[in-house]
Amino acid sequence: MEQRMKTFGPGRTNTLLICFLLAAGAPRVAGASLPRIRILATGGTIAGAQSQVAGARFKSGVLSAEDLIASVPQLREIATVTTEQICNIGSQTMNNQIWLKLAKRLAEVLKDANIDGVVITHGTDTMEETAYFLDLVVKSDKPIVMVGAMRPASSMSADGPMNIYNAVALAANPEARSRGVLVVLSNEIHYAREVEKTNTTRMDAFESPNRGRAGVINDGEALLFARPDLKHGLRSEFSVNSLAELPSVEIVYSYANFGRDMIDFLAQKKVKGIILAGVGDGHTTEEAMAGLRDAVAQGVVVVRSTRVHSGVTRRNIEVNDDEMGSIASEELTPQKARILLMLGLTKTSSVKALQRYFFEY
Ligand code: ASP
């Protein structure tokens, strides 16, 4: 296995025992009866530090998973933590290939009977996308918790250590089972499908504007609200097992005076799908609409979503989707609609079947 793994146990005796067993080639071992949590680290500000690059105040993805854990010694009291580094990047550079690698590895880790839950450390910029992707493809009822930070680890009052503590406590909490991928930041818990980053710098940058939060958490003590009822995880039809890549789906952003050039360019490039980040309820200019109609005629699947931060984009309200051959994204933001469409296109190109996914997931 290419990832390095480290164990952080609840005390010196157990740590020595674990080291001995690891040296003997034994599988992962839990210390005492504490929950066994694996951290998969991917980078982000939570692993960020002061930058050496002139003009940049900090750099994401500098510290390793072990560095992060070392900054929260209290973890030893609540879990036996093992770590793996999947990648170490700013999540602005997250891509489909890393998603596939992460999803496959996460599925393997969750199958391990010696693991009770998983925490994924991640940058906040695309955390909601990775969370939703994993929510749709990873089949397990064990807790999966994603966590990030708004301040780099080296900054004054870094928020990462408390966020990690809360994330590990939540992953160790049986109440977090069967809820799909959860996101923890700033004492709040969000569902993957609902969560959005809504502020560039604030500590409480994450919200779940449509259906609300999954819960709250303070000093590791969680209060979880209603369970999600839409399809995900074990009930999901999607799988990455046999996938080496994902279909090309791009997003176009609408505004006053938006033309059709971008849409025509994407259709010529033969993308499989275009998501419209439309104005209002997923609308755009007449010129861009004509471009989208032509794209549909050329076999591109078009999904209408909205650039508006909350609300629903429904079929056949201001735009006649039946006549246009388009799909309405319902509650999904453009970036999440892209993920569902990519996965949907791995199964079908029928507009009717793809629309069903947007009703059910
Ligand atoms: N650019 C960073 C990232 O997403 C921001 C953060 O983590 O807060 O990796």
Side-chain angles (χ1 to χ4, degrees):
M1 181 190 315
E2 72 189 76
Q3 293 92 353
R4 282 185 305 152
M5 279 191 243
K6 289 273 163 66
T7 302
F8 297 81
R12 194 163 173 273
T13 314
N14 281 320
T15 306
L16 288 175
L17 175 66
I18 289 162
C19 290
F20 167 75
L21 289 170
L22 285 178
R28 311 235 60 75
V29 177
S33 58
L34 289 176
R36 298 148 303 178
I37 305 302
R38 174 71 48 84
I39 294 189
L40 303 182
T42 71
T45 293
I46 197 165
Q50 296 312 123
S51 174
Q52 305 306 318
V53 182
R57 298 212 351 235
F58 83 94
K59 190 172 177 338
S60 292
V62 174
L63 305 179
S64 67
E66 295 113 60
D67 297 330
L68 294 183
I69 301 311
S71 70
V72 197
Q74 296 85 344
L75 289 178
R76 292 172 195 277
E77 290 154 28
I78 58 169
T80 297
V81 177
T82 50
T83 64
E84 283 181 45
Q85 196 78 43
I86 300 291
C87 58
N88 210 353
I89 58 169
S91 74
Q92 60 275 18
T93 60
M94 184 51 71
N95 60 43
N96 295 356
Q97 284 309 313
I98 302 179
W99 277 348
L100 290 171
K101 174 183 168 183
L102 176 60
K104 288 172 186 173
R105 181 62 194 143
L106 176 58
E108 279 170 12
V109 171
L110 289 163
K111 274 195 203 122
D112 184 340
N114 293 313
I115 293 293
D116 297 309
V118 175
V119 169
I120 301 168
T121 58
H122 197 287
T124 60
D125 290 351
T126 59
M127 169 118 58
E128 67 209 59
E129 296 177 50
T130 302
Y132 190 52
F133 179 74
L134 297 175
D135 200 44
L136 292 180
V137 299
V138 175
K139 295 172 197 328
S140 172
D141 58 5
K142 291 183 185 174
I144 306 165
V145 182
M146 293 190 67
V147 65
M150 295 301 291
R151 292 183 180 145
S154 61
S155 78
M156 214 188 302
S157 297
D159 51 336
M162 182 49 101
N163 287 347
I164 290 178
Y165 183 82
N166 281 336
V168 169
L170 186 61
N173 185 339
E175 271 291 299
R177 290 176 72 92
S178 305
R179 291 179 185 261
V181 177
L182 298 166
V183 168
V184 166
L185 255 101
S186 188
N187 300 113
E188 298 191 318
I189 308 168
H190 300 268
Y191 288 120
R193 180 180 182 275
E194 309 305 324
V195 69
E196 283 176 48
K197 185 175 182 179
T198 60
N199 192 277
T200 52
T201 49
R202 261 183 13 208
M203 294 300 100
D204 58 343
F206 283 69
E207 288 175 41
S208 293
N210 281 334
R211 296 193 179 211
R213 291 173 305 185
V216 289
I217 183 160
N218 281 294
D219 296 330
E221 265 186 46
L223 176 62
L224 283 149
F225 306 151
R227 288 177 181 277
D229 54 3
L230 291 164
K231 281 189 182 170
H232 65 92
L234 288 168
R235 286 171 62 214
S236 169
E237 291 150 82
F238 308 115
S239 160
V240 292
N241 288 350
S242 57
L243 294 183
E245 59 185 353
L246 293 165
S248 55
V249 175
E250 303 290 345
I251 300 173
V252 293
Y253 191 96
S254 183
Y255 45 88
N257 207 51
F258 182 46
R260 57 178 289 167
D261 291 357
M262 308 276 210
I263 296 162
D264 291 342
F265 173 76
L266 291 174
Q268 273 160 25
K269 291 248 311 178
K270 302 208 178 313
V271 296
K272 297 281 182 270
I274 295 177
I275 310 293
L276 171 68
V279 295
D281 61 351
H283 216 333
T284 187
T285 60
E286 278 181 23
E287 189 185 333
M289 269 299 172
L292 290 173
R293 271 196 199 92
D294 290 347
V296 170
Q298 290 166 53
V300 180
V301 177
V302 169
V303 176
R304 295 185 307 105
S305 179
T306 177
R307 68 180 198 177
V308 179
H309 154 65
S310 63
V312 190
T313 306
R314 308 219 87 159
R315 280 188 75 78
N316 300 331
I317 305 289
E318 231 185 325
V319 175
N320 187 335
D321 293 291
D322 291 345
E323 178 248 324
M324 186 171 156
S326 49
I327 291 167
S329 76
E330 292 284 303
E331 290 156 68
L332 294 188
T333 57
Q335 55 273 30
K336 285 185 184 163
R338 174 177 170 269
I339 290 166
L340 185 56
L341 183 58
M342 287 193 301
L343 290 170
L345 285 167
T346 65
K347 308 211 53 116
T348 180
S349 54
S350 150
V351 168
K352 200 166 166 221
L354 289 165
Q355 178 68 74
R356 178 180 68 79
Y357 293 144
F358 283 84
F359 290 138
E360 294 181 358
Y361 286 84

